[in-house]
Amino acid sequence: MLPASEVGEAPATPCCSENGDQRKDVKDTSDINITALIGDEQVCEDTDNGDLPSYVSAFIEKEVGNDLKSLKKLDKLIEQMTESKIQLEEQVLTVSSEIPKRIQSALKNAEESKQFLNQFLEQETHLISSINSHLLTAQPWMEDLGVMINQIEEIERHLAYLKWISQIEELSDNIQQYLMTNNVPEAASTLVSMAELDIKLQESSCTHLLGFMRATVKFWHKILKDKLTSDFEEILAQLHWPFIAPPQSQTVGISRPAGAPEIYSNLETLFCQLLKLQTSDELLTEPKQLPEKYSLPASPSIILPIQIMLTPLQKRFRYHFRGNRQTNVISKPEWYLAQVLMWIGNHTQFLDEKIQPILDKVGSSVNARLEFSRGLMMLVLEKLAADIPCLLYDDSLFCHLVDEVLLFERELHSVHGYPGTFANCMHILSEETCFQRWLTVERKFALQKMDSMLSSEAAWISQYKDITDVDEMKVPDCAETFMTLLLVITDRYKNLPTASRKLQFLELQKDLVDDFRIRLTQVMKEETRASLGFRYCAILNAVNYISTVLADWADNVFFLQLQQAALEVFAENNTLSKLQLGQLASMESSVFDDMINLLERLKHDMLTRQVDHVFREVKDAAKLYKKERWLSLPSQSEQAVMSLSSSACPLLLTLRDRLLQLEQQLCFSLFKIFWQMLVEKLDIYIYQEIILANHFNEGGAAQLHFDMTRNLFPLFSHYCKRPENYFKHVKEACIVLNLNVGSALLLRDVLQSPSGQPPAAAALNEVGIYKLAQQDVEILLNLRTNWPNTGK
């Protein structure tokens, strides 16, 4: 056997004899071989740390140990170690010989790079001097050339300027020649080309050229427009335009005038020629616009031929509804609103049948009837903008104006198909000062209406009390009138142009609901002593009806859109928490949730008060029943027929009378909540105050069971199929008290056995006990007195 030091020579030599750098290289290249031979990842670390004897001892202990038979492995291990040593020495020699060559090669490359860099720097210096010399030589040439280029550019600008003037003059001459030969269509087409040139020149800084161009366009436009307008008005006069009479009386006058085909042909020709002047007309004519405070939507100017057709109607409107005419009465807005609606109706047929085909033929997207209506609407908007400041602080006149405007808008949109995206009267009413006044007046008249409806003699009487099918909710007149008021307010503001204005009206509605709730609460407090009275029940029905209707409105598309708009406003202003914003966005809550919650709370409080009142009466009537001698009652076998306990009669009569009374006075949903709340309290009361407070012999238990199942429970059978399910405590207590003796003994043994809860629960379920706990059943079993004498 070799000494330990000889066994460890092979790996120790390369790890200890080299310097630090070489040792690291050797370790990197031989790590796989050493690990493969020895199987220990810490070999190099242990030998580098100088703890070689410990490593060798551990290695021998691992390979040989106490088993002498393992000494046979030594030859093989020595052979492997020798081979490893040779490989490592070769690797060390290879690395040692290659490193100097690499360093030398790197130094050589660095020297060559330095030489190239110096050469480039010399070339750069030479080039810079050459460039500077060339620039100095070329500087005079550049100055002379720059002067020539500037002159050339200036000449080119002059030529371009002259070309524009020549082009304008050429177009102007062409228009003149066309007019001299009475070729109006070509003159109009040439004027279109001139107007397009004007548009192209808009960004030019040549003010004189622009002025010349605009003056030329204006000159020829006026000539052509005057000529075509005169001819067009002459044709319209032959058609008896405008149609002041209703459509029925127009038929004879305009359907077959003398030379009708020729007239309509000329009408089409002149209409198309006037359409060509539209571009130049828009350049030259500033459209009349109302102040920005009205926030009217952007819209193109009315096409020129329709403008001409509107001119006589505009004159009539201004003649009758401006100045000192008797028809211009500020308190009668319905006069001019009705007049405009009549004009639209009178001309609809002609516009649809005669004018619209012309527009379709030339490929225009304009709707003749809507364009005509838009022109008349501008007259109405101007009139409203002028009149509203004069009656802003007269409540009756202002309210009348708003009512008439809303009726006008409704007919305009529904009958004549006027789009809500066009400028309309709601934009005028949405102006800040006018809108705030509208809100104030709306609130004032709504509050007055609420006062009158609550003070009415029929306030708490249902309009449909004699019609059972209609009167399901038993809604008092005041509640129905109030909700109608809210519905009317919704109809009035639903066509406002902006969501922000609609949200302000929504807040008004919510304030009115809250005010009405407070008024109902005040009246309710006056009726608290008579909580079963007619008025108290009517108030409760009113609260329930308002809450139900608001919940239905919350699912309406209009209010869902307002909810989305409110969500955006709240998100911008950070007025709600992230949870509330999430609930609104996910439609878990609605815009009326706050109001509904307050109404539901009031409803619950009122129902609770009614239940408490009836329950107190029932308790008073049950005093004799509580004192019944349950211990000494005869058994069922001793009685010919079971009958109701005489002491239970007051209790059941009181209960029956109150149920009938409230069933007649409360709506179905409220009455259902009422009797279920009452049953819950009654069940606990009978269980705790009557059953648990007494002991029962066999006759007493049977009598209790008869009173409950054959008399009390059937009182509620009219309201549900299985009323006993609402008296779970009483029903199950009767089961326990009426178990036959054997079953009761067996059940008591199971409950008292230490086997655990599941068998006890199963035993209780088997006899029909699901609500009562095990301890409650044990107490009930102890209330029985009919146990056999077992000697215990």
Side-chain angles (χ1 to χ4, degrees):
M1 182 174 177
L2 295 175
S5 60
E6 291 181 9
V7 177
E9 275 184 359
T13 301
C15 292
C16 301
S17 61
E18 299 295 329
N19 60 37
D21 295 337
Q22 291 173 336
R23 185 163 64 249
K24 183 177 179 182
D25 294 335
V26 172
K27 177 178 180 292
D28 293 341
T29 57
S30 63
D31 186 48
I32 297 174
N33 295 329
I34 295 172
T35 305
L37 290 170
I38 301 173
D40 187 355
E41 295 180 357
Q42 301 300 324
V43 171
C44 290
E45 292 182 8
D46 293 341
T47 55
D48 286 347
N49 292 337
D51 194 9
L52 185 58
S54 300
Y55 162 68
V56 172
S57 299
F59 178 73
I60 295 298
E61 181 67 26
K62 178 181 178 184
E63 297 295 332
V64 179
N66 297 327
D67 187 3
L68 296 177
K69 294 180 180 180
S70 300
L71 294 174
K72 296 178 181 179
K73 301 178 182 178
L74 289 178
D75 292 339
K76 188 175 182 180
L77 285 172
I78 291 170
E79 185 180 347
Q80 291 175 351
M81 294 300 229
T82 304
E83 290 177 1
S84 177
K85 176 183 176 184
I86 293 170
Q87 291 176 2
L88 291 171
E89 287 176 347
E90 289 176 356
Q91 292 174 1
V92 171
L93 290 173
T94 301
V95 172
S96 300
S97 62
E98 287 180 355
I99 288 176
K101 292 180 182 179
R102 292 180 181 175
I103 294 174
Q104 188 175 2
S105 176
L107 289 172
K108 184 178 179 181
N109 291 335
E111 287 293 334
E112 291 177 355
S113 299
K114 185 176 179 182
Q115 290 176 5
F116 281 124
L117 180 62
N118 290 333
Q119 290 177 6
F120 288 141
L121 290 172
E122 290 176 1
Q123 292 176 6
E124 181 194 13
T125 304
H126 178 69
L127 285 172
I128 288 174
S129 64
S130 298
I131 291 169
N132 289 335
S133 175
H134 180 74
L135 289 174
L136 288 173
T137 304
Q139 183 65 31
W141 300 348
M142 292 174 62
E143 292 176 356
D144 294 341
L145 187 61
V147 172
M148 294 177 66
I149 290 172
N150 290 335
Q151 291 175 350
I152 292 170
E153 289 178 347
E154 185 176 359
I155 292 171
E156 287 180 343
R157 286 196 298 273
H158 290 167
L159 283 174
Y161 196 93
L162 291 173
K163 285 181 180 179
W164 277 105
I165 293 175
S166 174
Q167 193 172 0
I168 295 168
E169 289 180 341
E170 182 181 354
L171 291 172
S172 180
D173 291 341
N174 290 340
I175 294 174
Q176 185 176 9
Q177 290 176 6
Y178 288 136
L179 289 177
M180 290 175 66
T181 59
N182 205 27
N183 191 348
V184 178
E186 288 298 327
S189 299
T190 308
L191 181 59
V192 172
S193 301
M194 187 182 291
E196 290 173 351
L197 285 181
D198 191 327
I199 294 171
K200 290 180 181 178
L201 282 173
Q202 290 303 309
E203 296 181 359
S204 173
S205 58
C206 301
T207 55
H208 295 292
L209 179 62
L210 289 174
F212 174 66
M213 171 66 105
R214 182 59 57 85
T216 306
V217 172
K218 186 175 182 180
F219 174 79
W220 290 117
H221 175 79
K222 184 178 186 307
I223 292 174
L224 283 171
K225 183 179 178 181
D226 289 348
K227 177 174 177 54
L228 291 174
T229 299
S230 175
D231 295 343
F232 191 60
E233 288 176 343
E234 184 178 342
I235 293 294
L236 291 175
Q238 294 178 24
L239 294 172
H240 306 290
W241 181 274
F243 309 140
I244 306 304
Q248 293 80 5
S249 58
Q250 296 172 18
T251 307
V252 178
I254 69 168
S255 62
R256 292 290 177 186
E262 183 181 355
I263 292 175
Y264 286 123
S265 175
N266 292 336
L267 175 72
E268 180 178 349
T269 301
L270 291 169
F271 195 96
C272 293
Q273 292 173 3
L274 284 167
L275 274 178
K276 291 181 179 180
L277 301 185
Q278 185 66 29
T279 304
S280 55
D281 192 69
E282 291 177 359
L283 278 176
L284 301 172
T285 307
E286 283 290 333
K288 288 185 178 180
Q289 292 184 345
L290 291 172
E292 292 183 2
K293 65 180 181 179
Y294 295 112
S295 302
L296 296 179
S299 58
S301 58
I302 297 169
I303 58 175
L304 187 56
I306 298 293
Q307 289 183 32
I308 297 170
M309 295 172 75
L310 285 167
T311 301
L313 294 174
Q314 291 170 341
K315 290 179 179 178
R316 283 175 176 272
F317 188 91
R318 294 189 177 99
Y319 176 82
H320 287 291
F321 304 113
R322 290 189 183 177
N324 299 322
R325 299 291 170 185
Q326 292 182 349
T327 48
N328 183 26
V329 182
I330 198 169
S331 61
K332 297 292 183 181
E334 60 269 27
W335 288 357
Y336 64 82
L337 294 174
Q339 183 66 72
V340 168
L341 288 174
M342 187 179 71
W343 284 343
I344 293 174
N346 291 350
H347 297 87
T348 295
Q349 182 181 352
F350 179 82
L351 292 168
D352 287 343
E353 295 178 0
K354 305 300 181 183
I355 304 300
Q356 190 61 48
I358 301 173
L359 290 168
D360 295 340
K361 189 174 181 180
V362 299
S364 175
S365 60
V366 174
N367 184 299
R369 178 162 43 85
L370 294 182
E371 196 77 353
F372 183 79
S373 300
R374 194 157 64 93
L376 292 178
M377 273 300 297
M378 289 308 299
L379 294 173
V380 174
L381 299 186
E382 292 171 3
K383 176 65 174 171
L384 279 176
D387 283 358
I388 285 177
C390 302
L391 48 79
L392 201 58
Y393 298 101
D394 188 320
D395 288 350
S396 60
L397 289 181
F398 181 78
C399 192
H400 176 65
L401 172 70
V402 171
D403 289 340
E404 292 298 331
V405 166
L406 293 175
L407 290 173
F408 169 78
E409 283 284 320
R410 185 177 303 168
E411 183 172 350
L412 185 68
H413 294 299
S414 61
V415 177
H416 301 292
Y418 191 81
T421 54
F422 284 10
N424 56 61
C425 299
M426 302 307 285
H427 290 93
I428 304 297
L429 295 182
S430 295
E431 188 269 327
E432 182 64 26
T433 305
C434 178
F435 183 77
Q436 293 303 326
R437 187 62 186 161
W438 184 11
L439 274 179
T440 302
V441 171
E442 202 77 48
R443 185 189 302 273
K444 175 184 175 182
F445 282 100
L447 292 175
Q448 290 178 358
K449 183 69 174 175
M450 286 163 58
D451 289 336
S452 64
M453 70 176 71
L454 287 173
S455 59
S456 169
E457 294 181 359
W460 307 109
I461 301 173
S462 172
Q463 296 179 4
Y464 314 105
K465 62 180 180 179
D466 298 327
I467 310 174
T468 308
D469 295 339
V470 180
D471 196 34
E472 289 183 359
M473 299 194 73
K474 296 182 169 60
V475 187
D477 182 64
C478 63
E480 187 165 6
T481 306
F482 175 71
M483 294 312 293
T484 303
L485 172 66
L486 289 186
L487 187 62
V488 169
I489 291 175
T490 303
D491 289 337
R492 289 161 73 85
Y493 79 82
K494 68 188 304 182
N495 291 321
L496 283 169
T498 61
S500 60
R501 296 303 193 198
K502 294 177 185 176
L503 287 174
Q504 287 180 269
F505 257 104
L506 178 63
E507 288 301 315
L508 168 63
Q509 287 180 302
K510 291 165 70 173
D511 290 344
L512 293 176
V513 172
D514 198 46
D515 189 277
F516 195 71
R517 177 188 62 83
I518 293 171
R519 292 169 186 244
L520 290 178
T521 305
Q522 292 171 344
V523 179
M524 179 270 292
K525 289 180 178 178
E526 297 174 0
E527 301 292 327
T528 302
R529 293 184 179 179
S531 58
L532 303 183
F534 168 76
R535 180 173 290 192
Y536 191 93
C537 292
I539 296 169
L540 186 50
N541 287 329
V543 172
N544 179 67
Y545 174 70
I546 296 171
S547 176
T548 303
V549 173
L550 290 180
D552 290 340
W553 285 2
D555 296 328
N556 184 280
V557 174
F558 174 71
F559 289 108
L560 289 175
Q561 291 171 344
L562 283 189
Q563 181 172 339
Q564 183 61 33
L567 179 65
E568 296 171 3
V569 172
F570 293 148
E572 290 177 2
N573 300 334
N574 294 322
T575 53
L576 292 180
S577 66
K578 290 184 178 179
L579 175 61
Q580 291 171 315
L581 288 174
Q583 289 174 339
L584 274 176
S586 63
M587 301 300 174
E588 290 181 14
S589 61
S590 70
V591 290
F592 294 113
D593 266 12
D594 293 342
M595 297 297 100
I596 293 173
N597 292 337
L598 291 172
L599 290 166
E600 287 295 316
R601 188 183 305 169
L602 176 59
K603 180 175 78 174
H604 181 266
D605 291 345
M606 294 181 71
L607 278 172
T608 302
R609 190 173 287 111
Q610 285 188 322
V611 170
D612 290 343
H613 183 96
V614 174
F615 184 63
R616 283 195 302 270
E617 291 185 349
V618 170
K619 283 200 302 183
D620 290 340
K623 288 179 180 178
L624 293 176
Y625 195 61
K626 285 176 61 178
K627 298 176 181 179
E628 188 69 54
R629 298 175 59 86
W630 304 104
L631 274 172
S632 58
L633 292 177
S635 65
Q636 189 171 1
S637 60
E638 297 175 4
Q639 301 182 57
V641 179
M642 290 288 292
S643 60
L644 174 66
S645 300
S646 58
S647 58
C649 291
L651 181 151
L652 296 176
L653 286 173
T654 301
L655 196 57
R656 183 202 64 181
D657 294 342
R658 291 311 185 193
L659 288 173
L660 289 174
Q661 176 186 353
L662 291 173
E663 184 182 14
Q664 293 175 355
Q665 294 181 349
L666 295 179
C667 70
F668 175 76
S669 60
L670 286 176
F671 179 68
K672 182 178 179 181
I673 299 171
F674 165 80
W675 73 255
Q676 288 179 357
M677 291 172 64
L678 179 62
V679 163
E680 184 179 355
K681 294 174 72 71
L682 196 57
D683 180 41
I684 298 297
Y685 173 74
I686 295 174
Y687 175 69
Q688 292 181 347
E689 301 294 329
I690 296 177
I691 297 176
L692 293 183
N694 290 284
H695 286 74
F696 297 83
N697 64 357
E698 183 182 352
Q703 185 64 49
L704 177 69
H705 183 266
F706 181 83
D707 292 343
M708 297 296 105
T709 59
R710 300 293 297 276
N711 294 279
L712 177 62
F713 297 169
L715 278 179
F716 298 89
S717 61
H718 181 63
Y719 316 125
C720 62
K721 290 183 178 180
R722 300 181 64 85
E724 63 273 13
N725 289 337
Y726 291 92
F727 290 90
K728 292 188 185 306
H729 291 88
V730 173
K731 182 183 75 169
E732 294 182 3
C734 288
I735 291 173
V736 174
L737 294 176
N738 285 278
L739 283 174
N740 61 54
V741 177
S743 298
L745 285 171
L746 182 59
L747 179 60
R748 185 170 67 177
D749 291 341
V750 170
L751 296 179
Q752 293 177 352
S753 65
S755 59
Q757 184 66 20
L764 291 173
N765 293 344
E766 187 176 348
V767 297
I769 307 300
Y770 300 95
K771 177 73 172 177
L772 296 179
Q774 178 179 339
Q775 295 82 354
D776 296 331
V777 175
E778 291 178 358
I779 293 172
L780 288 168
L781 288 172
N782 290 330
L783 296 179
R784 294 171 57 121
T785 61
N786 58 332
W787 296 107
N789 187 5
T790 58
K792 292 185 180 180

